[in-house]
Amino acid sequence: MRQDAGTGKGGARSGLNIVMLGPPGAGKGTQAERLAQKRQWPRISTGDILREAVQQGVSIGEVARLAMDAGRLVSDDVMICIVEERLNRPDARTGFVLDGFPRTVEQAAALDRMVDGRGPLVVLDVVVPEDVLVRRLATRRICAQCGSNAAVNWTTACEKCGGKLVARVDDGDDIVRERLKVYQRQSKPLVDYYSTRGTLRSIDGNQPADVVTAAVDAAIEGAAAAGGVGL
Ligand code: AP5
């Protein structure tokens, strides 16, 4: 393990710090939400943070919207700043689930600096064939109000808040093709970046969601045992 397992700076007990890697539609958000709920760790989704900024009309929102609507990445300096601020909040000091960050090697290097002295960084790479990703994104519906992914049995309205179900703006055919290209070019190299460490786990994401969740749990338990971290 790269970080000292178990204790953080000042001797505070640290939990696991989880990173979900994988292409658009792999199920990172679905699994990150389940994991965060089960372990009581904050889920930090950079996609959700950016969509919120767009909705609220704050200054980075407009820059983010232009990149997201084109299927490109928001710049590293903006993303690093957002995540650094978020990871410094008290609820993230003893473990977190990062969904959508890092997406470039530069972001990964910055994350290493941010978690220096904290608990181990466990990286889960969710693997799904491209044709399955394209199908999932073409049929995905989200709640226009709270942003939740709609489950297949939600037909007209969000079960959580009653909001209208809509397609995500960046799930259009052309944008999805661009997002997949960007993933291959800028994010796939992260698998190599992390592969020399003992804490990268590959997860088969092309299975029913509950089976994927069980694989994620097993990977977390294994990483915790290897790092001497209690869950
Ligand atoms: P973000 O929102 O992070 O999008 P993404 O990475 O493209 O991922 P998705 O949300 O599309 O998919 P997912 O893997 O989370 O799958 P999900 O669980 O939703 O980022 C959006 C944009 O923001 C980026 O394009 C970029 O512009 C910008 N951005 C964000 N972070 C950035 C960063 N760090 N740097 C720069 N720019 C950044 O599932 C997808 C669908 O499949 C759902 O319908 C779900 O119900 C279904 N599903 C899930 N699991 C299964 C399963 N096992 N079987 C069948 N269906 C399943």
Side-chain angles (χ1 to χ4, degrees):
M1 304 233 165
R2 192 184 166 95
Q3 290 83 17
D4 293 336
T7 54
K9 274 181 184 152
R13 188 83 188 155
S14 300
L16 288 183
N17 302 311
I18 312 296
V19 166
M20 309 286 303
L21 293 185
K28 303 181 295 295
T30 302
Q31 297 302 328
E33 192 174 337
R34 292 177 178 200
L35 183 56
Q37 252 175 27
K38 175 169 179 178
R39 305 286 179 190
Q40 299 294 295
W41 293 324
R43 169 188 168 216
I44 300 170
S45 156
T46 45
D48 284 356
I49 291 172
L50 294 172
R51 279 184 288 276
E52 239 174 72
V54 171
Q55 262 193 345
Q56 291 169 354
V58 297
S59 57
I60 60 149
E62 184 53 18
V63 181
R65 190 186 62 76
L66 290 173
M68 291 165 91
D69 288 359
R72 286 184 280 105
L73 297 185
V74 176
S75 68
D76 285 335
D77 52 343
V78 168
M79 296 314 302
I80 289 166
C81 202
I82 289 174
V83 171
E84 185 154 32
E85 186 279 325
R86 182 64 189 85
L87 293 189
N88 278 331
R89 291 195 211 160
D91 68 334
R93 296 300 305 182
T94 52
F96 54 75
V97 185
L98 256 180
D99 161 17
F101 185 97
R103 268 178 143 98
T104 64
V105 168
E106 188 168 346
Q107 292 180 13
L111 179 61
D112 282 338
R113 292 192 291 274
M114 291 176 214
V115 299
D116 186 28
R118 297 196 190 193
L121 197 64
V122 177
V123 181
L124 305 180
D125 180 35
V126 186
V127 181
V128 175
E130 195 161 307
D131 58 323
V132 177
L133 299 171
V134 169
R135 219 173 319 127
R136 282 187 189 174
L137 295 177
T139 54
R140 165 166 56 187
R141 293 295 174 270
I142 61 160
C143 173
Q145 207 157 292
C146 71
S148 303
N149 273 331
V152 269
N153 58 336
W154 300 2
T155 47
T156 51
C158 173
E159 269 191 358
K160 291 184 184 161
C161 73
K164 197 176 151 203
L165 300 184
V166 294
R168 216 167 89 175
V169 176
D170 59 349
D171 281 346
D173 286 355
D174 291 350
I175 307 179
V176 164
R177 261 194 296 278
E178 183 60 22
R179 286 164 67 198
L180 290 169
K181 272 196 227 154
V182 166
Y183 167 77
Q184 288 295 334
R185 198 171 55 234
Q186 291 181 270
S187 305
K188 192 92 187 286
L190 290 174
V191 177
D192 278 345
Y193 181 89
Y194 287 117
S195 65
T196 53
R197 306 183 191 178
T199 53
L200 173 69
R201 302 280 186 280
S202 180
I203 305 286
D204 177 2
N206 190 20
Q207 313 179 79
D210 289 347
V211 179
V212 181
T213 302
V216 166
D217 271 341
I220 301 287
E221 305 270 353
V229 177
L231 288 173

